Amino acid sequence: MFPTLKSGQDILCFNWAYVFFKPKRGDIVVIKHQGKEMVKRIQKIDDRQIFVQGDNQKESTDSRNFGPIDKSEIIGKVIFVR
């Protein structure tokens, strides 16, 4: 699969998206993991563990490498891409 976002594109991230609603499979989110901000897609949700994956599966660093993330690591939901 090809990357959804290309270098230089702008995104708008809604950081209150999961205050009243739960993350859903398929949501594109910005996460902060080990000091790095990354854009990933939610693939699976188990209790408080969330598995994320990049759209460019061959070159993506995601839950396959670093394991599940906690909901607290989600900065926000991507709501607009330009």
Side-chain angles (χ1 to χ4, degrees):
M1 184 191 274
F2 293 104
T4 302
L5 301 174
K6 294 175 180 53
S7 180
Q9 280 188 298
D10 296 319
I11 63 170
L12 180 61
C13 177
F14 182 47
N15 62 345
W16 285 40
Y18 301 121
V19 172
F20 301 109
F21 301 100
K22 294 181 179 182
K24 296 182 303 206
R25 185 174 190 260
D27 286 354
I28 299 174
V29 294
V30 177
I31 65 169
K32 188 164 192 168
H33 184 73
Q34 296 179 344
K36 291 184 181 180
E37 292 180 358
M38 300 178 261
V39 179
K40 301 294 175 193
R41 188 179 302 270
I42 296 175
Q43 288 298 317
K44 185 178 177 185
I45 302 171
D46 290 334
D47 297 325
R48 289 193 54 84
Q49 292 185 337
I50 300 171
F51 295 85
V52 294
Q53 190 170 27
D55 286 347
N56 189 358
Q57 294 178 10
K58 291 183 181 179
E59 297 185 27
S60 182
T61 301
D62 48 38
S63 288
R64 295 173 295 170
N65 304 100
F66 52 72
I69 64 167
D70 188 74
K71 184 179 173 184
S72 66
E73 294 180 82
I74 296 177
I75 294 173
K77 179 179 179 180
V78 174
I79 57 171
F80 180 76
V81 177
R82 179 179 68 120

